[in-house]
């Protein structure tokens, strides 16, 4: 039941901003669980790729994502980032080098926007001046006016603004890998679309390797260089959005993308905004 | 105000204050240490529930064989009384911090200690404060009973008022305890609202 797959960056070759992530026979079995949450996943995500883990809830995609920053320790297999085995590294040290975005609740409610964004730089002991500069730079990058937003608390932000702050926070220390766990699930469709444009633009500008978890097929098609379809702990197909739409590997993938496959394929042919 | 009244008021405040300090110093770390360990947590909360149903006067009287009369047994009894709300609220406070927030903190590379000191405890603080506030009112009111075992305080007026049928004296004791409890509650209420407000501004 092992799925073997390899994804390549569409631009070919490594871009400066992203790390190569390799998963080798990765399995996760929670104590007392009848089935493994993740079972024997082999997956290579090339440097700078926007990879989307797509599947229904409970398929193991989120667990798989969390093995990459060691929030979940695999029971089998190994994971390498830029060739280095992550198990050999100190977990907190590793995590400071990997961006992590979850739904809006992940912002610290007792911190201001600036304090939230600068968590990792401050953990890394950056000079105060460098931290301040970086905060302003990041807020401008996500198109929030630093003068207006720096000192706000998360409660004073809209859902979309909070999520953009979450992205800025994850990118603060210039990570070479960015993990995003259903980051836009809690916002409405219009805001979600603009957040998707935003993250696509950031990815284009920075070339960070992104691993993005979603159960939303349209979101996956819209953002991914490579889609990794998962079901019941296994990777069932890996490919470009077009490949997944045109040649679904099995009945499961066909059902997942199938209902509107033709419309979706046509939508892909039309270039997205700025893409 | 007579010197006698001020002395009694002072004794009352000292007794109640000392009991609260001791209870907070024991209860908050204890609940904090147990919150993520199911077995100790279960035992602790069961004890807290048990202490809660024991009448204050019984606790006061039960300490006499061990500590005799006076300040010490009164203090012990009041600490026992103050512990349950502090334990329970600290536990609830720490558990009410969303798991996702803690995961985000870990995911960004905070050590477990940093997750505690920078995220979990600061977010729990307003609810911990509710526990201390509840305990404060209970302890100020119950410190009155300390007079029965020679613990002093404003309860002396009530005890002697009862014994001699001196209604104004009894009223003086009862009313001043009530006023003291209300004032302490209001003061802590303000502090607690400030704490909560600093976490979740509603305007701006």
């Amino acid at each position: 039941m092992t799925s073997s797959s390899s994804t390549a960056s569409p631009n070919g070759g490594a871009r400066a901003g992203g790390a190569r992530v390799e998963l080798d026979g990765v399995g996760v079995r929670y104590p007392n669980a009848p089935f493994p949450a993740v079972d024997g996943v082999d997956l290579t995500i090339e440097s700078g790729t926007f990879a989307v883990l797509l599947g229904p809830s409970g398929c193991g995609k989120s667990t798989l994502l969390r093995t990459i920053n060691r929030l979940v320790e695999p029971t089998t297999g190994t994971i390498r980032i830029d060739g280095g085995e992550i198990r050999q590294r100190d977990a907190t040290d590793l995590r400071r080098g990997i961006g992590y975005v979850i739904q809006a609740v992940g912002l610290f409610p007792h911190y201001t926007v600036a304090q939230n964004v600068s968590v990792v730089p401050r953990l890394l002991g950056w000079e105060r001046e460098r931290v301040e500069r970086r905060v302003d730079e990041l807020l401008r990058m996500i198109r929030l006016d630093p003068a207006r937003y720096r000192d706000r608390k998360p409660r004073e932000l809209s859902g979309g603004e909070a999520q953009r702050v979450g992205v800025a926070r994850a990118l603060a220390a210039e990570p070479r890998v960015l993990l995003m766990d259903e980051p836009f699930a809690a916002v409405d469709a219009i805001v979600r679309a603009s957040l998707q444009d935003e993250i696509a633009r950031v990815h284009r500008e920075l070339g960070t390797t992104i691993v993005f978890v979603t159960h939303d097929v349209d979101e996956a098609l819209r953002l991914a260089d490579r889609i990794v379809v998962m079901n019941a702990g296994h990777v069932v197909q890996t490919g470009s959005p077009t490949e997944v739409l045109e040649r679904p590997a099995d009945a499961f993938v066909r059902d997942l993308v199938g209902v509107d496959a033709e419309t979706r394929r046509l939508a892909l042919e039309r270039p997205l905004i700025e893409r | 105000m007579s010197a006698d009244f001020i002395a009694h008021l002072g004794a009352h405040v000292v007794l109640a204050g000392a009991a609260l300090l001791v209870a907070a110093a024991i209860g908050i770390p204890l609940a904090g240490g147990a919150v993520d360990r199911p077995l100790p947590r279960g035992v602790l909360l069961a004890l807290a529930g048990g202490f809660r149903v024991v009448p204050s006067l019984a606790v006061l009287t039960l300490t006499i064989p061990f500590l005799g009369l006076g300040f010490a047994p009164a203090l012990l009894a009041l600490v026992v009384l103050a512990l349950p709300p502090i334990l329970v609220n600290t536990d609830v406070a720490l558990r009410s911090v969303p798991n996702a927030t803690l995961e985000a903190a870990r995911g960004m590379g905070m050590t477990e200690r940093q997750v505690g000191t920078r995220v979990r405890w600061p977010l729990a603080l307003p609810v911990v404060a509710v526990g201390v506030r509840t305990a404060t009112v209970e302890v100020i009111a119950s410190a009155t009973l300390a007079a029965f075992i020679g613990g002093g305080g404003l309860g002396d007026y009530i005890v002697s008022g009862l014994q001699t049928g001196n209604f104004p004296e009894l009223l003086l004791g009862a009313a001043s305890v009530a006023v003291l409890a209300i004032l302490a509650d209001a003061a802590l209420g303000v502090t607690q609202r400030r704490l909560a407000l600093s976490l979740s501004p509603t305007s701006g």
Side-chain angles (χ1 to χ4, degrees):
Chain A
M1 293 290 275
T2 297
S3 341
S4 186
S5 43
S6 171
T7 70
S9 164
N11 298 353
R15 278 187 270 177
R20 175 186 162 103
V21 180
E22 295 163 279
L23 285 74
D24 199 354
V26 170
V28 177
R29 185 172 203 134
Y30 291 115
N32 305 322
F35 304 103
V38 171
D39 198 5
V41 169
D42 296 314
L43 181 69
T44 300
I45 300 165
E46 293 296 344
S47 168
T49 302
F50 198 133
V52 174
L53 308 183
L54 173 67
S57 59
C59 72
K61 57 191 191 300
S62 192
T63 302
L64 186 63
L65 183 85
R66 286 146 48 88
T67 59
I68 299 173
N69 64 1
R70 290 185 59 189
L71 282 175
V72 173
E73 296 287 359
T75 31
T76 60
T78 55
I79 299 170
R80 286 182 297 277
I81 294 181
D82 277 337
E85 231 187 272
I86 63 171
R87 210 184 342 225
Q88 311 295 336
R89 299 189 51 191
D90 176 62
T92 56
D93 197 50
L94 172 81
R95 289 172 193 154
R96 288 172 193 181
I98 298 178
Y100 186 48
V101 185
I102 57 175
Q103 288 187 22
V105 280
L107 287 186
F108 302 133
H110 58 311
Y111 282 2
T112 63
V113 165
Q115 288 169 328
N116 265 291
V117 168
S118 60
V119 166
V120 180
R122 283 184 288 135
L123 285 172
L124 292 169
W126 288 17
E127 301 277 332
R128 174 198 281 246
E129 214 171 286
R130 185 177 169 207
V131 171
E132 309 268 299
R133 255 203 329 272
R134 183 66 179 145
V135 166
D136 288 353
E137 191 179 299
L138 285 157
L139 290 180
R140 277 193 291 271
M141 185 186 78
I142 55 162
R143 301 181 186 185
L144 294 178
D145 178 13
R148 279 179 60 205
Y149 284 92
R150 278 186 135 268
D151 299 323
R152 292 203 187 173
K153 290 280 179 71
R155 285 282 169 85
E156 301 168 273
L157 302 174
S158 71
E161 287 167 347
Q163 207 42 266
R164 278 145 81 192
V165 172
V167 171
R169 180 174 70 172
L171 291 169
E174 302 181 336
R176 287 164 53 75
V177 181
L178 179 59
L179 307 180
M180 307 183 79
D181 195 351
E182 306 240 11
F184 308 146
V187 294
D188 66 65
I190 295 169
V191 175
R192 192 179 312 136
S194 90
L195 287 168
Q196 289 165 349
D197 286 344
E198 202 85 9
I199 193 66
R201 181 176 61 80
V202 166
H203 175 242
R204 221 172 27 245
E205 281 171 16
L206 302 179
T208 313
T209 303
I210 298 182
V211 188
F212 187 109
V213 163
T214 186
H215 62 265
D216 178 342
V217 178
D218 291 303
E219 185 167 66
L221 293 170
R222 193 151 193 239
L223 292 173
D225 297 327
R226 307 298 284 179
I227 293 181
V228 180
V229 185
M230 290 188 68
N231 185 30
H234 297 274
V235 171
V236 290
Q237 185 171 9
T238 309
S240 69
T242 316
E243 281 164 4
V244 171
L245 275 181
E246 291 184 345
R247 293 188 297 280
D250 63 9
F252 172 80
V253 182
R254 198 176 312 118
D255 284 349
L256 190 71
V257 301
V259 191
D260 301 311
E262 187 54 24
T263 342
R264 284 173 169 149
R265 201 182 54 73
L266 289 171
L268 275 182
E269 284 172 1
R270 192 173 44 110
L272 285 174
I273 314 157
E274 298 178 29
R275 203 174 174 192
Chain B
M1 267 187 277
S2 72
D4 180 65
F5 178 77
I6 290 172
H8 278 91
L9 179 66
H12 201 93
V13 170
V14 167
L15 178 63
L20 281 166
L21 279 179
V22 173
I26 297 173
I28 295 173
L30 205 58
V35 68
D36 293 325
R37 299 180 178 93
L39 188 66
R41 173 172 180 266
V43 172
L44 202 65
L45 291 183
L47 280 177
F51 280 136
R52 190 168 262 185
V53 298
V54 180
S56 326
L57 194 56
V59 176
L60 280 164
T61 318
L62 283 171
T63 53
I64 295 176
F66 307 100
L67 293 167
L69 295 171
F71 184 81
L75 180 67
L76 178 70
L78 291 177
V79 167
V80 168
L81 202 71
L83 272 173
I86 291 175
L87 287 172
V88 171
N89 273 276
T90 304
D91 182 74
V92 170
L94 290 169
R95 288 172 79 88
S96 67
V97 177
N99 212 19
T101 308
L102 302 177
E103 279 284 287
R106 289 188 192 105
M108 269 179 295
M110 288 192 193
T111 61
E112 279 309 307
R113 171 177 285 268
Q114 286 165 334
V115 173
T117 58
R118 297 187 189 195
V119 179
R120 199 175 190 189
W121 278 100
L123 288 177
L125 217 53
V127 181
V128 175
V130 174
V132 175
R133 187 179 166 190
T134 309
T136 302
V137 176
E138 279 183 27
V139 164
I140 289 177
S142 300
T144 318
L145 300 172
F148 285 102
I149 60 167
L154 293 166
D156 281 351
Y157 292 122
I158 298 175
V159 173
S160 84
L162 278 174
Q163 281 163 354
T164 60
N166 186 341
F167 185 70
E169 192 183 5
L170 190 149
L171 198 64
L172 170 70
S176 48
V177 168
V179 170
L180 187 62
I182 289 169
L183 287 180
D185 187 56
L188 286 171
V190 170
T191 316
Q192 180 200 325
R193 263 191 298 281
R194 285 234 177 95
L195 273 176
L197 214 63
S198 73
L199 294 188
S200 54
T202 49
S203 65

